[in-house]
């Protein structure tokens, strides 16, 4: 399920439905803080190479704390890049010594541009516009401990880490599809009025999904990162280019 959809009310309704509706969703970072004490003593289990999980059954649900080595490296690099640029900007503002009101405006712009780095720096502005800043080492330690970790929750009842990870990977693919539709393709929701048009839309979407599966496999096997290349390759080796019969 897309992260923006589930609320506590929606999840409760899904659990109470007959037949029950199963879900695997991401959770806000605040929930990880609440469950941190319960998760800490649990053992890590390997879901796949480079990915470990902790499983916490709680109140009819299963919480999954995942740790990905690749994601650790990615988030750490992003955090370091933002912090480095913010630090350079603060030094520049310190040397410029603009008027206090101007300085506050420039600091606001820096906060918007480097939000991840901003949380790690303590900044003070004096009455005369003196700028001072230092690294918040306690926050940095906290961020480092959580980089590459994210908390999922599910009512599937499965305690197979590999199966849960495969389902989560499918969730990320769906989220990426939403991002591409709203971003690169600039496609907004289509509201059909007739039942036959709804069925046709679902059918076309299903055909696209089925077509992309062998394309993704072809791209992965050939070590290509662009699935569209695999898609064209797959079509080239199939009968997809034949004219469709008129029925």
């Amino acid at each position: 399920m897309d992260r923006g959809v589930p609320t506590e009310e929606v999840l409760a309704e899904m659990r109470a439905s007959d037949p029950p509706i199963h879900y695997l969703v991401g959770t806000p970072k605040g929930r990880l803080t609440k469950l941190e004490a319960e998760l800490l003593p649990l053992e890590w289990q390997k879901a796949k190479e480079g990915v470990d999980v902790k499983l916490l059954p709680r109140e009819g649900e299963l919480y999954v704390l995942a740790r990905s080595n690749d994601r650790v490296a990615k988030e750490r690099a992003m955090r370091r890049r933002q912090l480095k640029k913010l630090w350079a900007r603060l030094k520049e503002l310190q040397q410029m010594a603009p008027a206090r009101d101007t300085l506050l405006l420039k600091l606001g712009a820096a906060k918007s541009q480097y939000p991840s780095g901003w949380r790690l720096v303590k900044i003070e502005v004096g009455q005369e516009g003196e700028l001072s800043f230092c690294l918040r080492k306690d926050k940095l330690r906290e961020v480092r401990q959580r980089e590459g970790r994210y908390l999922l929750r599910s009512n599937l009842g499965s305690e197979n880490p590999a199966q849960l990870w495969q389902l989560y990977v499918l969730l990320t693919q769906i989220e990426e599809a939403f991002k591409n539709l709203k971003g690169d393709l600039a496609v907004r929701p289509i509201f059909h009025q007739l039942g036959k048009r709804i069925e046709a839309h679902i059918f076309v979407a299903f055909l696209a999904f089925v077509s992309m599966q062998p394309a993704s496999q072809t791209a992965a096997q050939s070590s290509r990162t662009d699935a569209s290349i695999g898609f064209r390759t797959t079509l080239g080796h199939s009968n997809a280019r034949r004219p469709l019969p008129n029925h």
Side-chain angles (χ1 to χ4, degrees):
M1 184 184 295
D2 185 60
R3 292 175 185 271
V5 174
T7 62
E8 290 299 328
E9 293 76 12
V10 171
L11 295 180
E13 184 177 349
M14 294 171 70
R15 289 192 296 269
S17 66
D18 186 20
I21 301 175
H22 299 299
Y23 57 82
L24 176 67
V25 299
T27 65
K29 292 184 178 180
R31 189 170 292 271
L32 176 57
T33 302
K34 293 179 181 179
L35 298 178
E36 198 166 20
E38 297 180 58
L39 288 165
L40 189 61
L42 300 179
E43 296 292 333
W44 288 102
Q45 303 180 44
K46 178 171 288 188
K48 58 169 291 186
E49 192 63 34
V51 178
D52 300 317
V53 298
K54 288 185 177 184
L55 305 179
L56 175 64
R58 195 169 187 267
E59 299 177 358
E61 292 183 299
L62 181 66
Y63 286 88
V64 183
L65 177 62
R67 178 181 64 186
S68 167
N69 293 340
D70 291 341
R71 190 156 175 172
V72 168
K74 179 181 178 180
E75 292 183 2
R76 189 156 293 173
M78 293 172 59
R79 185 254 306 162
R80 286 174 175 171
R81 185 163 55 249
Q82 278 215 8
L83 184 57
K84 183 178 180 180
K85 290 182 178 180
L86 174 61
W87 201 264
R89 179 56 175 163
L90 292 175
K91 284 188 174 182
E92 182 182 5
L93 292 175
Q94 201 174 44
Q95 294 175 356
M96 292 170 57
R100 191 174 190 275
D101 291 345
T102 303
L103 175 60
L104 293 176
L105 289 175
K106 292 183 180 296
L107 287 175
K111 180 179 180 180
S112 300
Q113 191 170 3
Y114 311 113
S116 298
W118 185 271
R119 291 190 288 268
L120 304 177
V121 180
K122 181 180 180 181
I123 300 174
E124 295 181 348
V125 179
Q127 292 297 325
E128 301 299 325
E130 308 92 349
L131 174 63
S132 61
F133 55 92
C134 62
L135 185 64
R136 302 176 64 181
K137 295 183 179 180
D138 55 337
K139 287 292 183 181
L140 179 59
R141 282 192 294 268
E142 181 181 325
V143 167
R144 283 180 58 87
Q145 291 174 354
R146 294 191 177 185
E147 283 174 336
R149 301 184 183 187
Y150 37 96
L151 186 66
L152 312 174
R153 61 189 292 191
S154 173
N155 65 341
L156 287 169
S158 172
E159 297 194 4
N160 183 342
Q163 181 184 17
L164 292 170
W165 178 254
Q166 290 174 355
L167 290 173
Y168 177 69
V169 170
L170 180 60
L171 172 64
T172 61
Q173 292 174 356
I174 294 172
E175 290 178 337
E176 182 67 20
F178 276 111
K179 179 181 177 182
N180 292 336
L181 286 174
K182 294 184 286 187
D184 297 339
L185 299 179
V187 175
R188 293 307 180 195
I190 299 174
F191 300 98
H192 295 295
Q193 303 297 326
L194 301 179
K196 62 181 182 181
R197 291 182 179 176
I198 296 174
E199 293 178 357
H201 193 139
I202 295 174
F203 179 66
V204 171
F206 179 74
L207 286 180
F209 173 76
V210 172
S211 299
M212 282 303 298
Q213 294 309 302
S216 300
Q217 294 175 4
T218 301
Q221 292 171 359
S222 59
S223 300
R224 297 171 181 169
T225 58
D226 185 0
S228 63
I229 298 177
F231 183 60
R232 291 194 297 269
T233 302
T234 303
L235 289 180
H237 294 157
S238 68
N239 295 325
R241 295 185 179 180
R242 291 182 179 178
L244 294 176
N246 295 324
H247 289 307

